Amino acid sequence: MGQTTIHSAIDYDRDGKQVGYLYLPQSPHEDAWGSIPIPIAVIKHGSGPTVLITGGNHGDEYEGPITIARMIRELDPGAVQGRLILLPSLNQPAARAGRRLSPIDGKNFNRCFPGNPEGTATEQIVFYLDHVLFPLADAFMDLHSGGSSLQILPSAIIEPAPDPAHAGRIVTAARAFDAPTTVVLNNLGDPRTSTAAAVRAGLTVVGTELTGGGGVTREGVRVCERGVGNVLRHLDVLDAGEAPAFPDKPLYEIPGAKGYVYAPADGVFEAWHDLGDAVEEGQPAGAIHFLDDPGRPPEIARFACSGRLYSRRSPGHTVRGHCVSVVITEHSG
Ligand code: CA
């Protein structure tokens, strides 16, 4: 495949802190020889691993980007052993619009790997991540939240890896994040996500889901800042002080398709459980109300497995097939 179209004055080999942009050339009506500027910082000092940390893969998920931007402002290069490559607004057009998808091409960044240097704007940024940044990195944290449509328990995410030693590195790093909940999650096996691509590149990968609903929660920011610091201390990029503890909390997983509850009709979804609640197979997840037909009884959406409520739809307005609830079960190992 061809070469990246992105150019930048950032020098990945230079010591110290650099803050700048990756420029993706674009030629729209209002800007014939223009660019999309994607913010980036590189902080390099001493010797140690390269850790790539990204937010804004989806443009309506904010706790990760807030955490990364604070690191860019506040982190002293002298505190780093190795190299941090920090991108808080990875899909910049989507982040600028506060939308999950890019308004330029309608693409979901996290369904575009491995990207295409001759494709749409989103596909070109994905290609740069996959073909330029992944080969520089030893570890990768992609910081997601639930976005506009979902609320999700604050959690560290484990992307499964086929090689047991590689999988072990990933599980240890995700446990070191020490989120309130840690979940094995593979998007029903989709290979087009950032974390699936990073696993193929051999990286130690940690994902997150940090609340959501299109807003910013203090709890999500707190979990994210603490977790990112924990992983960087675990990787010895930041000084651990005393050895970090790896709490032996249970691991959870989304048990495939039966973990998802989809709306059985168009209407308004009323959730009947709170995040973290224990739920049972066959139990109602909530009701779909028909507010333009008040004589019609609500339809009930039911859980297809027992476990804990991990996620639920945030907006009331719902269309048949929308995901209204997600259940996690204890990881089977
Ligand atoms: Ca996301």
Side-chain angles (χ1 to χ4, degrees):
M1 198 171 266
Q3 293 216 315
T4 182
T5 41
I6 287 175
H7 61 88
S8 177
I10 293 284
D11 178 355
Y12 292 108
D13 295 324
R14 193 194 301 165
D15 278 331
K17 184 190 291 191
Q18 302 170 74
V19 182
Y21 293 93
L22 307 174
Y23 291 98
L24 172 61
Q26 288 288 291
S27 186
H29 172 80
E30 62 277 9
D31 185 22
W33 288 356
S35 72
I36 293 171
I38 302 151
I40 183 169
V42 177
I43 304 175
K44 183 173 181 294
H45 174 258
S47 62
T50 292
V51 184
L52 172 64
I53 310 178
T54 56
N57 173 322
H58 294 134
D60 59 343
E61 305 176 3
Y62 303 114
E63 286 84 355
I66 287 171
T67 298
I68 295 169
R70 177 170 292 170
M71 289 174 68
I72 291 172
R73 293 192 305 274
E74 297 182 358
L75 196 57
D76 172 10
V80 170
Q81 285 295 324
R83 178 170 56 178
L84 297 174
I85 302 176
L86 306 170
L87 292 111
S89 295
L90 195 51
N91 201 3
Q92 188 266 6
R96 192 158 183 229
R99 306 280 298 177
R100 178 175 181 81
L101 310 184
S102 173
I104 292 180
D105 55 21
K107 296 270 184 182
N108 179 342
F109 193 96
N110 221 25
R111 299 294 183 275
C112 284
F113 281 81
N116 180 355
E118 293 158 8
T120 68
T122 302
E123 290 168 336
Q124 291 177 72
I125 303 169
V126 167
F127 182 86
Y128 187 84
L129 195 70
D130 194 72
H131 284 68
V132 178
L133 296 182
F134 282 176
L136 296 176
D138 301 290
F140 174 52
M141 281 187 262
D142 195 22
L143 305 175
H144 287 247
S145 299
S148 302
S149 73
L150 295 175
Q151 297 168 355
I152 307 183
L153 278 181
S155 40
I157 304 300
I158 294 168
E159 175 81 34
D163 174 65
H166 187 193
R169 273 193 284 130
I170 290 172
V171 170
T172 305
R175 282 191 181 283
F177 192 99
D178 194 27
T181 304
T182 303
V183 181
V184 179
L185 194 165
N186 74 347
N187 292 284
L188 295 171
D190 200 311
R192 299 169 298 168
T193 66
S194 66
T195 48
V199 164
R200 289 195 294 276
L203 305 184
T204 299
V205 178
V206 178
T208 65
E209 295 294 351
L210 300 157
T211 63
V216 181
T217 65
R218 278 300 299 153
E219 185 196 12
V221 172
R222 183 184 59 76
V223 169
C224 191
E225 289 182 350
R226 180 175 169 277
V228 168
N230 284 344
V231 173
L232 292 178
R233 284 185 285 277
H234 163 64
L235 296 170
D236 291 325
V237 173
L238 295 180
D239 187 0
E242 55 196 72
F246 298 157
D248 211 16
K249 296 178 189 169
L251 293 183
Y252 290 87
E253 66 185 19
I254 297 179
K258 69 182 178 189
Y260 297 82
V261 180
Y262 301 117
D266 295 11
V268 171
F269 178 64
E270 176 195 10
W272 287 0
H273 305 272
D274 291 322
L275 296 184
D277 283 358
V279 300
E280 297 282 327
E281 180 180 348
Q283 190 180 15
I288 303 282
H289 296 278
F290 308 108
L291 301 182
D292 61 344
D293 187 5
R296 180 179 169 192
E299 280 203 32
I300 303 301
R302 294 180 186 279
F303 297 114
C305 68
S306 301
R308 286 176 68 202
L309 186 64
Y310 179 53
S311 175
R312 66 182 197 187
R313 182 168 173 79
S314 190
H317 178 263
T318 300
V319 170
R320 184 198 310 273
H322 278 170
C323 177
V324 292
S325 302
V326 183
V327 174
I328 48 175
T329 55
E330 285 219 24
H331 181 50
S332 49

